[in-house]
Amino acid sequence: MLVSVLLSLALLGTTEACKGQSSSSQTGIVCRITRPAVLVLNQETRQVIQKALQRATYPDIKGERVILFLGKVNYGLYNIQISSLSIFSSQAELKKDKSIDIAIQNVSVTFKGTLQYDYNGGWLLEVHRSVDFEIDTSLDLQINTQLNCEAGRVQADTSDCYLSFHKLLLRLHGEKQPGWIEQLFTDFISFTLKLILKGQVCKEISVLANIMANFVQDKAANFLTDGDIGVDISLTRTPVIKGSYLESHHKGFLTYKNQSSSFQDSTYTPNLLGDSRMLYFWFSDKVLSSLAKAAFLDKRLMLTLTGDEFKALLENKALDTFQDILLEIFQGSSFSDSQVVVRSLTAPLITCKLEGTVVKSSVSVEIQLLHQDQAPTVAFSFEEDVVTVMQASYEEKKLILGLSDFQIQHKSFRSVATLSMSQESIQAFLKSLTTMVGIPVIISRLEPALTTLLNSKGLDLFDIINPEVLTKQGYLVLQMDFGFPQHLLEDFLQTII
């Protein structure tokens, strides 16, 4: 469950937040992980607990006792290490408004090291011995984890940690009469050893918990960063723990170079997400619109088609029937000596509605003629306002964008050549060009580009099951089930070797 606590909080930021009063009105992204997901993530808790036990350092145990007939006995256990370790099972439970309780049952650990002892038994009898030892222990481990917010980051507090011992047995190697010696030193060290094990194991679990928290949060921050574009997803409040889910709230503000955006009117309420799927993400449409703005500022919203590509598209859509206007536009030049440039004139505005994701754009299209050793010249250009309604899905590790509706508002056109066609005929041509070529081409280029971007962040490595993208008034919800993210755990374990 330690794994589930930390891997589930797959969002994070780095700026100041959570100090003083809650800033929930700034929430742009919410991540909710439900109890079914906790059970899946709990499958590999044993690996992290084993790593904590193996990483812990166990100090030497020294002491002295006065024993009847033996006098003063000095002893020391040195170089204490784990020689074998097994964990039978782990369980997890969400405690409403309190903690995530992790119970690790039947942990069997064998420690090894060297025992040195000496005593003076009188009558000139002095004993100095050094023997190898093994200590067989059986214990349960209980970790009640609280999730806090510190400087905008999730912090795991595992200080409520304790061990219950079922067995502690000392075995000595090399003693001729080990029985009474073993019992003697078992009595000597039991209490001290239990205290040391509890302190060192719980300390290492705390260290690993926050190493993992930072590891996962840094992965999440990287996932929402590309070049100069980023998202400030620092926490806006302490994570919420309920009986059926745990939830983290994040700003979702755009960061682009030295620019940043913010908002103060979050519409999120807990009843907007369910608990039947394993993982939910809630996005304000302001977050989506700010990402579109960043793409515009970064000059990513531009598409160039070669003349031959443009010609093939016209033929494929039977638009070569507009031969007359095309001949006048190209002024005798061939398609091979041209290119078409489509660019966004302003940052697109994205809003979410019941019918889908609505994208409002102002675009310009230029047909440019290419010249050897000269800059291209614009033979024809036009501008339009385009509104599209999209339905997104994720299938077979690919992003699919479905067009459900659109509107086109023609604004202007300019032609170098004098066109003999009527205004109505030209506008009919431009509308057909946008409807049958422009919008489909942009969608067909966006789908693989966005899929490639997502996969470059490792999305394709996750076992995502039946993902759904739901749009509502003012927000978007991603909901899905998933298999255990083994690659993340392996990456994390590699970082702490």
Side-chain angles (χ1 to χ4, degrees):
M1 177 57 200
L2 186 62
V3 176
S4 65
V5 173
L6 302 170
L7 292 182
S8 64
L9 296 173
L11 292 175
L12 147 109
T14 57
T15 61
E16 292 296 316
C18 305
K19 288 190 174 181
Q21 217 164 2
S22 169
S23 54
S24 293
S25 63
Q26 295 181 320
T27 298
I29 304 174
V30 176
C31 172
R32 174 179 291 187
I33 183 163
T34 63
R35 193 172 185 279
V38 168
L39 298 178
V40 168
L41 294 171
N42 185 54
Q43 295 172 5
E44 301 299 332
T45 296
R46 287 178 291 179
Q47 290 194 51
V48 177
I49 297 300
Q50 286 178 340
K51 184 62 69 173
L53 288 164
Q54 291 164 345
R55 275 175 50 98
T57 57
Y58 303 98
D60 298 338
I61 300 174
K62 301 177 183 179
E64 64 177 34
R65 292 286 186 92
V66 177
I67 303 297
L68 187 64
F69 303 121
L70 294 181
K72 184 170 70 173
V73 179
N74 296 297
Y75 63 90
L77 277 69
Y78 301 93
N79 194 28
I80 302 174
Q81 302 175 29
I82 290 178
S83 63
S84 67
L85 170 64
S86 66
I87 298 176
F88 180 73
S89 66
S90 63
Q91 295 179 350
E93 184 178 358
L94 299 175
K95 293 286 188 175
K96 183 179 178 181
D97 301 326
K98 187 180 178 184
S99 64
I100 305 164
D101 292 358
I102 309 158
I104 313 295
Q105 289 96 17
N106 296 329
V107 181
S108 295
V109 188
T110 299
F111 297 90
K112 66 178 182 179
T114 302
L115 169 65
Q116 296 179 8
Y117 65 92
D118 61 73
Y119 61 89
N120 187 336
W123 298 287
L124 302 179
L125 175 63
E126 291 187 6
V127 177
H128 301 275
R129 296 287 290 164
S130 178
V131 295
D132 293 334
F133 72 83
E134 288 186 337
I135 300 174
D136 293 331
T137 63
S138 176
L139 55 93
D140 293 337
L141 176 61
Q142 182 72 33
I143 312 164
N144 302 324
T145 306
Q146 293 182 334
L147 300 179
N148 300 318
C149 171
E150 184 175 330
R153 298 177 71 95
V154 176
Q155 294 290 324
D157 180 0
T158 61
S159 58
D160 188 5
C161 167
Y162 54 91
L163 282 67
S164 300
F165 286 84
H166 305 303
K167 180 180 75 171
L168 194 154
L169 178 63
L170 173 69
R171 295 201 310 269
L172 300 178
H173 302 290
E175 280 286 357
K176 296 179 179 179
Q177 295 179 319
W180 71 274
I181 296 291
E182 289 174 349
Q183 184 59 53
L184 178 67
F185 283 106
T186 297
D187 294 340
F188 283 2
I189 67 172
S190 290
F191 180 75
T192 303
L193 182 61
K194 290 176 182 179
L195 284 179
I196 287 176
L197 291 180
K198 175 189 181 301
Q200 296 304 110
V201 170
C202 290
K203 175 183 175 182
E204 191 59 38
I205 286 173
S206 177
V207 170
L208 275 187
N210 284 294
I211 290 175
M212 181 179 277
N214 289 329
F215 169 83
V216 175
Q217 292 173 122
D218 289 343
K219 287 278 188 181
N222 177 67
F223 191 89
L224 294 175
T225 301
D226 186 59
D228 291 323
I229 300 173
V231 179
D232 173 8
I233 44 177
S234 49
L235 293 174
T236 60
R237 58 167 297 173
T238 298
V240 176
I241 300 176
K242 298 297 181 182
S244 60
Y245 65 86
L246 58 90
E247 188 173 270
S248 55
H249 298 221
H250 310 265
K251 287 183 178 180
F253 297 166
L254 166 69
T255 60
Y256 177 69
K257 294 185 177 179
N258 294 324
Q259 303 181 48
S260 61
S261 64
S262 63
F263 49 83
Q264 297 284 342
D265 55 351
S266 176
T267 60
Y268 179 75
T269 57
N271 62 352
L272 298 180
L273 300 178
D275 59 11
S276 60
R277 304 300 300 273
M278 295 171 70
L279 182 63
Y280 295 83
F281 290 100
W282 178 92
F283 289 88
S284 167
D285 58 10
K286 293 182 175 64
V287 175
L288 305 179
S289 202
S290 68
L291 287 173
K293 177 182 177 181
F296 170 75
L297 294 173
D298 210 41
K299 296 180 170 48
R300 300 190 186 196
L301 302 184
M302 186 170 69
L303 171 65
T304 300
L305 298 172
T306 66
D308 290 334
E309 288 175 326
F310 182 50
K311 180 181 179 181
L313 289 168
L314 294 174
E315 293 173 347
N316 185 52
K317 299 298 182 179
L319 290 181
D320 51 344
T321 54
F322 290 93
Q323 283 290 342
D324 292 341
I325 190 171
L326 290 169
L327 287 172
E328 291 180 353
I329 289 173
F330 278 85
Q331 307 171 54
S333 297
S334 68
F335 279 93
S336 298
D337 296 325
S338 69
Q339 64 182 14
V340 178
V341 179
V342 184
R343 60 169 59 89
S344 184
L345 295 172
T346 59
L349 176 65
I350 298 179
T351 56
C352 293
K353 299 183 182 299
L354 289 174
E355 56 266 30
T357 303
V358 181
V359 183
K360 297 180 180 179
S361 307
S362 292
V363 299
S364 74
V365 180
E366 295 180 350
I367 297 177
Q368 300 178 351
L369 301 182
L370 305 178
H371 311 282
Q372 190 172 7
D373 300 326
Q374 292 183 34
T377 58
V378 179
F380 184 85
S381 64
F382 64 95
E383 296 181 5
E384 292 176 331
D385 290 335
V386 181
V387 179
T388 56
V389 182
M390 310 294 297
Q391 296 282 358
S393 60
Y394 188 73
E395 303 172 12
E396 297 181 351
K397 301 188 182 296
K398 294 180 182 178
L399 180 66
I400 308 298
L401 300 175
L403 178 67
S404 60
D405 195 10
F406 65 89
Q407 297 175 9
I408 301 171
Q409 180 66 48
H410 175 71
K411 293 169 65 177
S412 64
F413 74 87
R414 186 179 70 85
S415 175
V416 172
T418 302
L419 302 180
S420 62
M421 309 284 290
S422 67
Q423 289 276 352
E424 291 77 11
S425 295
I426 294 173
Q427 289 188 21
F429 165 69
L430 297 179
K431 182 176 181 180
S432 297
L433 192 62
T434 302
T435 302
M436 302 178 69
V437 176
I439 294 175
V441 166
I442 289 174
I443 292 175
S444 70
R445 298 294 179 93
L446 268 177
E447 286 176 332
L450 291 175
T451 297
T452 299
L453 176 60
L454 292 172
N455 289 344
S456 73
K457 302 297 183 178
L459 184 64
D460 56 332
L461 299 178
F462 288 87
D463 179 17
I464 298 175
I465 302 169
N466 298 327
E468 295 178 276
V469 183
L470 307 177
T471 54
K472 305 292 184 181
Q473 190 67 37
Y475 65 92
L476 176 147
V477 173
L478 305 180
Q479 57 187 41
M480 66 200 76
D481 298 324
F482 60 86
F484 185 82
Q486 187 67 35
H487 69 285
L488 271 187
L489 178 60
E490 291 173 356
D491 287 350
F492 168 70
L493 293 177
Q494 285 295 320
T495 65
I496 59 173
I497 290 177

